Amino acid sequence: MDETKENDVKVPRVLYVCGGNQGRSVLCHYITLLHHAPCHHVMSAGLYADQVDPWPDKQAVIILGKHAPCNSILSHTPTQLTPEVIESVNPDYILLATRSQECAVNALLAQMKPCRKLTVMRVLEFIKLTSPDAVMDRISSGADGLDLRENVSLSQQEYHAYATQLEQILVPALKANKIISPTATPVLES
């Protein structure tokens, strides 16, 4: 991918990663797209996507599928994270769901020896950089509270609450890092 500029400002590229590329990374990916990030600037993949059922989480389809820009979620196929995917996306940020996934991606990057520095961190760490007081009670887990809680198998109501809270705290971080427009407003609440 070549370096694309929007209004003469470089728009950072983001690669969201989770285990199977069916739940958490897909949700972050489509929340970012809902807020008009250029499609070629955001992608998601999974460390074990080649080992999962090729259909995204059904609640993601129900909740995100209601919003016009996300109709493509119906045709989402899990993408296996490989060196080739990383090279083709050429991300500025690789945002992960959990600490263990962060370790796995850092090991992969060490083998690849990318030609430039990438920011690799968990999604909730990324959010905490710009919103240290962000409320994450419905979506966090892990020893330090900065892992994204698993969202597969939630009821529709639980998933909607999870997605709404994630959107409310992810959007300001995306704005602060110039990944989406500073005028973007929440979509999932409605």
Side-chain angles (χ1 to χ4, degrees):
M1 285 184 180
D2 61 344
E3 184 176 297
T4 303
K5 296 186 179 192
E6 304 290 327
N7 299 327
D8 293 329
V9 175
K10 182 181 181 294
V11 177
R13 297 175 190 275
V14 180
L15 175 60
Y16 292 106
V17 177
C18 70
N21 191 220
Q22 290 183 301
R24 296 168 290 189
S25 61
V26 173
L27 180 59
C28 291
H29 179 166
Y30 285 94
I31 284 174
T32 305
L33 288 179
L34 277 171
H35 293 282
H36 309 290
C39 290
H40 54 279
H41 286 258
V42 61
M43 186 173 169
S44 60
L47 291 167
Y48 316 107
D50 60 348
Q51 301 169 23
V52 298
D53 183 356
W55 191 252
D57 179 65
K58 68 179 182 176
Q59 298 302 345
V61 172
I62 292 168
I63 302 298
L64 297 172
K66 294 177 182 176
H67 303 281
C70 283
N71 287 337
S72 61
I73 194 169
L74 298 174
S75 61
H76 173 81
T77 301
T79 300
Q80 176 66 35
L81 184 68
T82 63
E84 294 77 23
V85 168
I86 294 171
E87 288 171 2
S88 72
V89 175
N90 191 22
D92 298 287
Y93 296 96
I94 299 179
L95 301 178
L96 304 113
T98 68
R99 164 99 46 220
S100 64
Q101 293 162 0
E102 182 178 7
C103 294
V105 168
N106 280 326
L108 180 63
L109 290 171
Q111 294 172 0
M112 291 176 56
K113 299 182 178 104
C115 60
R116 65 185 182 89
K117 177 86 170 110
L118 306 172
T119 300
V120 179
M121 65 177 56
R122 290 174 288 168
V123 171
L124 296 182
E125 288 177 304
F126 176 76
I127 290 167
K128 282 287 190 183
L129 290 176
T130 54
S131 303
D133 299 324
V135 176
M136 300 188 258
D137 59 314
R138 294 180 182 196
I139 61 174
S140 65
S141 68
D144 63 0
L146 293 175
D147 283 356
L148 266 179
R149 182 169 67 93
E150 185 62 68
N151 62 359
V152 176
S153 302
L154 296 178
S155 71
Q156 186 172 346
Q157 182 177 0
E158 292 169 323
Y159 190 94
H160 189 271
Y162 181 106
T164 300
Q165 186 173 74
L166 181 59
E167 180 193 38
Q168 288 171 344
I169 62 175
L170 180 57
V171 167
L174 295 171
K175 287 179 184 180
N177 288 283
K178 298 177 177 38
I179 296 166
I180 62 172
S181 166
T183 60
T185 57
V187 173
L188 296 179
E189 292 177 10
S190 52

